[in-house]
Amino acid sequence: DAGVTQSPTHLIKTRGQQVTLRCSPKSGHDTVSWYQQALGQGPQFIFQYYEEEERQRGNFPDRFSGHQFPNYSSELNVNALLLGDSALYLCASSLGGRNSPLHFGNGTRLTVT
Amino acid sequence: AQSVTQPDIHITVSEGASLELRCNYSYGATPYLFWYVQSPGQGLQLLLKYFSGDTLVQGIKGFEAEFKRSQSSFNLRKPSVHWSDAAEYFCAVGGQGGSNYKLTFGKGTLLTVNP
């Protein structure tokens, strides 16, 4: 039973560029959430997708956008990269019910130079 | 707004000693509470969760946590620490009504285990 998988594992981009991160949820899960974890900090909620729509959003600018596909996989897009976007980006999946805890992937380490 | 405070940034214990990691939360309604562990370069693994019912919850790897509403706390404990427990531990709070996915995490406590 595959868990949450994310790609790529590491990425280096230049300031001003755009990046796309990918996530495949755990088998049987239909909800995907994205978190940003800066160095030395706890993860911060970016947004959550369910039934191909953004259901909730955290305090992140519009440069951060996402998408969920019919097979429940998801993408996170970040435009006009800033140095401060350097972080570990974590994808988490869950079932669309109330008592379903999050299962996290190992993340994508993004470095913006 | 919901928030989580983990007062201890770094804790060092000897192998075999007991462990308690502190967590205080702020949430306007009945919270959903979680403890996650993160090894270097890895994602987060769920140790245990509290949704309702018995305030003492058991998790994986011999961990337990106790929900104390009067103190707004959800401290993590383990009676005897193993070297493999060295990692960073995060407490998180979420809410009911579908918002339990929007977790707010503390800044984490780094656990070092001495042989």
Side-chain angles (χ1 to χ4, degrees):
Chain A
D1 179 19
V4 179
T5 58
Q6 293 186 243
S7 63
T9 55
H10 295 84
L11 203 52
I12 300 175
K13 289 287 188 177
T14 302
R15 190 171 45 185
Q17 286 187 319
Q18 178 265 343
V19 68
T20 298
L21 311 181
R22 296 176 175 81
C23 172
S24 293
K26 179 180 170 65
S27 177
H29 285 183
D30 58 6
T31 302
V32 173
S33 302
W34 287 91
Y35 286 78
Q36 180 196 65
Q37 186 178 19
L39 199 61
Q41 302 294 315
Q44 284 195 295
F45 177 76
I46 303 175
F47 43 52
Q48 175 194 102
Y49 277 84
Y50 174 69
E51 292 187 341
E52 302 180 48
E53 291 191 357
E54 184 181 291
R55 183 159 69 171
Q56 291 192 69
R57 189 178 184 91
N59 189 25
F60 278 80
D62 292 344
R63 298 187 297 109
F64 289 76
S65 63
H67 188 77
Q68 185 179 36
F69 299 94
N71 67 352
Y72 308 119
S73 67
S74 177
E75 288 182 350
L76 164 65
N77 301 291
V78 186
N79 295 322
L81 285 167
L82 303 173
L83 296 179
D85 295 330
S86 296
L88 180 68
Y89 288 84
L90 295 164
C91 171
S93 72
S94 55
L95 281 171
R98 292 186 178 189
N99 293 337
S100 172
L102 299 180
H103 291 255
F104 284 84
N106 287 338
T108 294
R109 172 70 63 187
L110 172 64
T111 302
V112 182
T113 63
Chain B
Q2 57 199 57
S3 66
V4 174
T5 301
Q6 293 182 246
D8 303 305
I9 297 173
H10 187 192
I11 283 183
T12 300
V13 299
S14 298
E15 191 170 17
S18 64
L19 172 70
E20 182 169 27
L21 302 182
R22 296 183 291 165
C23 172
N24 293 98
Y25 69 90
S26 174
Y27 191 76
T30 302
Y32 284 4
L33 293 160
F34 307 81
W35 275 99
Y36 284 86
V37 62
Q38 185 177 38
S39 297
Q42 301 294 309
L44 285 82
Q45 181 183 21
L46 179 66
L47 286 176
L48 48 77
K49 62 186 183 294
Y50 171 79
F51 287 162
S52 64
D54 192 348
T55 56
L56 184 63
V57 294
Q58 302 297 321
I60 62 172
K61 303 184 180 185
F63 286 93
E64 67 177 25
E66 186 171 12
F67 170 56
K68 293 185 177 180
R69 185 187 301 274
S70 61
Q71 298 177 19
S72 297
S73 69
F74 188 58
N75 294 348
L76 181 71
R77 300 193 293 251
K78 186 170 185 179
S80 178
V81 170
H82 188 262
W83 64 267
S84 61
D85 293 325
E88 188 145 29
Y89 292 79
F90 292 94
C91 180
V93 65
Q96 298 179 2
S99 64
N100 53 306
Y101 314 123
K102 184 180 176 181
L103 297 186
T104 298
F105 286 83
K107 292 187 176 182
T109 297
L110 180 64
L111 174 66
T112 298
V113 180
N114 288 334

